[in-house]
Amino acid sequence: MTHGTVITYDSAQSSGYIQPDNDDERVPFDRDSLVNYPDDETPTAGDRVRFNVEGGLVGLWATHVERLTTSTE
């Protein structure tokens, strides 16, 4: 698994981007990819996460996005 930080999340589109710690290009994700986020919470910029990176039809995509810490911790 890769570690990184949520850099943006748009609740209206239910998607956002993660910046991997290894300085690779940012990776998109969507609400369906989230693990251990309560249904009433959404990712916020600064949340620390770990995730898998998989190839898709339009490039790389983050899957199994698991929150490690929130941006306020």
Side-chain angles (χ1 to χ4, degrees):
M1 293 194 99
T2 303
H3 289 78
T5 303
V6 173
I7 56 174
T8 184
Y9 184 77
D10 183 337
S11 295
Q13 295 186 6
S14 298
S15 63
Y17 288 91
I18 299 168
Q19 179 64 54
D21 287 349
N22 61 7
D23 291 327
D24 280 347
E25 188 174 323
R26 65 187 187 161
V27 181
F29 71 99
D30 64 16
R31 180 77 180 150
D32 293 337
S33 301
L34 301 177
V35 177
N36 98 348
Y37 271 89
D39 289 337
D40 61 341
E41 290 185 30
T42 59
T44 56
D47 284 0
R48 296 284 301 147
V49 294
R50 67 178 168 199
F51 56 97
N52 292 324
V53 178
E54 297 181 8
L57 296 174
V58 293
L60 297 179
W61 196 260
T63 62
H64 298 92
V65 178
E66 181 179 0
R67 179 172 55 187
L68 301 174
T69 61
T70 65
S71 61
T72 58
E73 291 181 351

